[in-house]
Amino acid sequence: QVQLVESGGGLVQAGGSLRVSCTASGTIFSLNAMGWYRQAPGNQRELVATITSGGTTNYTDSVKGRFTISGDIAKNTVSLQMNSLKPEDTAVYYCYARSQPTGWGTINYWGQGTQVTVSS
């Protein structure tokens, strides 16, 4: 059974930094990307950042220059360093893993989420 376990997060003042990390346990065939989504109260879940097995990264515009994603897909780990945090970054952050085994389409796995709260 696949599980994504997040750590980090918490409460920080605006301008501060936090780091969230995630490790996937269990067997994931053809894992080729991991990343982070977030969901604020009343909002839809949105992409924050992803990294592929080839090292390609992608960020939503609102976090570019402030957040940095890193990871080792082969080891099923991903982290997100968040600097210059703003109150609007407050959300539950979800770890995500994408598997694309041949002939099976795309399978997405999700962590349970970790709260990030930025006070003004």
Side-chain angles (χ1 to χ4, degrees), residues 57-106:
T57 58
N58 181 48
Y59 297 91
T60 191
D61 286 345
S62 63
V63 308
K64 287 180 180 177
R66 300 189 297 122
F67 291 11
T68 302
I69 190 169
S70 60
D72 187 338
I73 304 301
K75 296 182 178 179
N76 295 1
T77 62
V78 65
S79 295
L80 185 69
Q81 178 67 40
M82 302 179 287
N83 298 329
S84 302
L85 282 160
K86 304 176 181 180
E88 50 264 43
D89 294 317
T90 295
V92 177
Y93 283 69
Y94 295 92
C95 179
Y96 150 82
R98 185 184 73 195
S99 169
Q100 294 181 313
T102 302
W104 287 84
T106 297

Side-chain angles (χ1 to χ4, degrees), residues 38-55:
R38 67 186 179 187
Q39 187 168 17
N43 291 355
Q44 291 186 336
R45 191 174 296 190
E46 65 170 353
L47 170 74
V48 178
T50 59
I51 185 167
T52 69
S53 55

